[in-house]
C-alpha cells in the first residue's frame, strides 16, 4: 500500500494505525456509545471509534466505569459498529471480564467480537495484563492496550492522579513494552507527563494514543461527551471543548416547554388537514 492510501484508507484497519505512525500522520479517536453519534463521527473522518466503558457514567448513570457488564457493552458495540462505514471500531473489555486470567479474558473477548460486530477489543493494564493480551491476540483478535491512569483501577490508584511521574516513569515504560511484546496493535496512554509519553512513543513500534498525554503521541482520544460539552462538570485539564451541546439542548428544551405551555406549538404548519 502506498503512502497516499495509508493516509486516507476507505476502511481503517489496525495495520493502518502503524502505517500512520511510520508516515508521521497523526490520527483521531473519539468514544461513542450509540448509532447516531457514531455515524456522525464516522462521516466527519474520525479514524477510530472506541466503544468505551465510559458509557457506564456517561450513558447509564453509574458513578464509575466499574459496574458496566459485558452484555451492556455488547449493546453499545452493536449500535456503534452498525453505523461506522470507515472508522476502526474498538470495544472496551469491562472490569471483571479479563482480570481473572487468560481463559476468562479470551472467552469474553470472543463473546464481544462475535456479538457486537466490532473490529478489536481494548483492555487496561501493562505487565499485569500481558498474559491476557497474548492469549487474545494468539486467538486472532486484535487488542489495544491501555496504561498510565487506568479508570478501572481508580480505587487502587487513589483517585484521578497523573501516572508515570518520577520513579513511575520506569514502570510506565515497562508496561508499554509489555503490551507491545504481548502483541497489542496500539496502546492508550492516559494522564501521563508529556515528556514521558513522547519517550514511550519514540521507543515503541506500535502507535500510542494519548488522552492527557501531551502532543507527541501518535493519536489522540477524547470522551465524546467531554469534547462536545454535554456534561455539566468542569472539564479536566486535558479536555478541549469543541462545542457546548448541553447549553444548546437546555435552551431548546426550555423553549419547547414554553411553546407547549403557551399553546404556541404545534401551529397550523405542524398539523394535518382533512
Amino acid at each position: 500500500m502506498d503512502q497516499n492510501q495509508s493516509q486516507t484508507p476507505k476502511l481503517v484497519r489496525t495495520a493502518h494505525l502503524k502505517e500512520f505512525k511510520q508516515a508521521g500522520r497523526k490520527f483521531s479517536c473519539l468514544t461513542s456509545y450509540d448509532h447516531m453519534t457514531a455515524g456522525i463521527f464516522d462521516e466527519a473522518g474520525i479514524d477510530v471509534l472506541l466503544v468505551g466503558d465510559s458509557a457506564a457514567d456517561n450513558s447509564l448513570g453509574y458513578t464509575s466505569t466499574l459496574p458496566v457488564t459485558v452484555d451492556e457493552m455488547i449493546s453499545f458495540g452493536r449500535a456503534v459498529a452498525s453505523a461506522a462505514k470507515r472508522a476502526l471500531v474498538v470495544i472496551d473489555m469491562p472490569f471483571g471480564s479479563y482480570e481473572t486470567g487468560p481463559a476468562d479474558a479470551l472467552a469474553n473477548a470472543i463473546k464481544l467480537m462475535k456479538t457486537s460486530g466490532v473490529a478489536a477489543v481494548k483492555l487496561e493494564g501493562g505487565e499485569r495484563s500481558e498474559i491476557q493480551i497474548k492469549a487474545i491476540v494468539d486467538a486472532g483478535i486484535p487488542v489495544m492496550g491501555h496504561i498510565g491512569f487506568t479508570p478501572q483501577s481508580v480505587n487502587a490508584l487513589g483517585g484521578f492522579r497523573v501516572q508515570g511521574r518520577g520513579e513511575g516513569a520506569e514502570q510506565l515504560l515497562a508496561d508499554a513494552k509489555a503490551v507491545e511484546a504481548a502483541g497489542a496493535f496500539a496502546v492508550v496512554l492516559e494522564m501521563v507527563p508529556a515528556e514521558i509519553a513522547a519517550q514511550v512513543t519514540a521507543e515503541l513500534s506500535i502507535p500510542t494514543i494519548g488522552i492527557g498525554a501531551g502532543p507527541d503521541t501518535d493519536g489522540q482520544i477524547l470522551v465524546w461527551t467531554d469534547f462536545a460539552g454535554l456534561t455539566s462538570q468542569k472539564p479536566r485539564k486535558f479536555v478541549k471543548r469543541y462545542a457546548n451541546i448541553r447549553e444548546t439542548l437546555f435552551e431548546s428544551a426550555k423553549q419547547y416547554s414554553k411553546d407547549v405551555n403557551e399553546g404556541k406549538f404545534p401551529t397550523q404548519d405542524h398539523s394535518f388537514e382533512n
Side-chain angles (χ1 to χ4, degrees):
M1 178 177 292
D2 63 32
Q3 183 171 327
N4 288 334
Q5 287 177 307
S6 68
Q7 292 287 315
T8 55
K10 291 183 179 179
L11 176 63
V12 180
R13 299 186 183 276
T14 57
H16 287 122
L17 302 190
K18 191 167 187 178
E19 292 174 6
F20 293 164
K21 179 184 179 80
Q22 293 169 343
R25 189 269 213 195
K26 303 283 188 177
F27 58 91
S28 58
C29 316
L30 280 174
T31 66
S32 181
Y33 323 118
D34 66 273
H35 187 87
M36 186 173 292
T37 62
I40 294 169
F41 300 154
D42 183 73
E43 186 178 352
I46 301 300
D47 297 304
V48 180
L49 294 177
L50 173 65
V51 186
D53 60 358
S54 49
D57 46 343
N58 282 279
S59 290
L60 297 178
Y62 300 149
T63 57
S64 73
T65 64
L66 300 182
V68 72
T69 66
V70 168
D71 288 337
E72 287 171 329
M73 290 301 299
I74 287 170
S75 293
F76 291 120
R78 284 175 177 162
V80 173
S82 64
K85 306 303 180 187
R86 175 185 174 273
L88 175 71
V89 180
V90 182
I91 194 168
D92 265 333
M93 296 190 68
F95 177 70
S97 66
Y98 59 92
E99 290 87 350
T100 51
D104 287 343
L106 178 56
N108 284 313
I110 290 172
K111 182 177 181 179
L112 284 162
M113 293 290 289
K114 281 178 69 71
T115 55
S116 68
V118 301
V121 300
K122 181 173 80 66
L123 56 85
E124 296 181 0
E127 290 182 323
R128 66 179 172 87
S129 297
E130 186 174 4
I131 297 175
Q132 288 94 320
I133 294 172
K134 187 176 187 305
I136 298 170
V137 171
D138 285 349
I141 299 173
V143 175
M144 179 182 287
H146 185 153
I147 62 174
F149 175 74
T150 47
Q152 293 175 10
S153 303
V154 62
N155 294 318
L157 295 174
F160 291 83
R161 296 182 176 180
V162 175
Q163 303 296 305
R165 284 176 169 158
E167 295 179 358
E170 185 176 344
Q171 182 60 55
L172 186 75
L173 184 57
D175 283 336
K177 291 185 174 180
V179 167
E180 180 179 45
F185 69 87
V187 61
V188 172
L189 308 179
E190 181 167 357
M191 289 178 62
V192 301
E195 290 184 4
I196 303 303
Q199 180 185 352
V200 171
T201 300
E203 294 196 23
L204 293 188
S205 64
I206 61 173
T208 59
I209 302 170
I211 177 167
D216 295 318
T217 54
D218 300 302
Q220 296 290 336
I221 187 167
L222 285 174
V223 173
W224 92 263
T225 50
D226 290 338
F227 115 104
L230 194 61
T231 58
S232 59
Q233 297 90 348
K234 180 181 178 181
R236 295 193 176 99
K237 177 180 175 63
F238 57 81
V239 173
K240 179 178 178 179
R241 281 187 169 173
Y242 286 82
N244 194 340
I245 292 179
R246 187 179 191 279
E247 181 177 342
T248 299
L249 286 175
F250 178 77
E251 292 300 331
S252 298
K254 278 181 62 178
Q255 186 61 51
Y256 167 70
S257 177
K258 183 173 184 293
D259 286 353
V260 171
N261 291 340
E262 296 178 358
K264 294 180 179 179
F265 176 84
T267 65
Q268 191 69 29
D269 291 339
H270 308 105
S271 303
F272 295 104
E273 298 178 359
N274 285 330

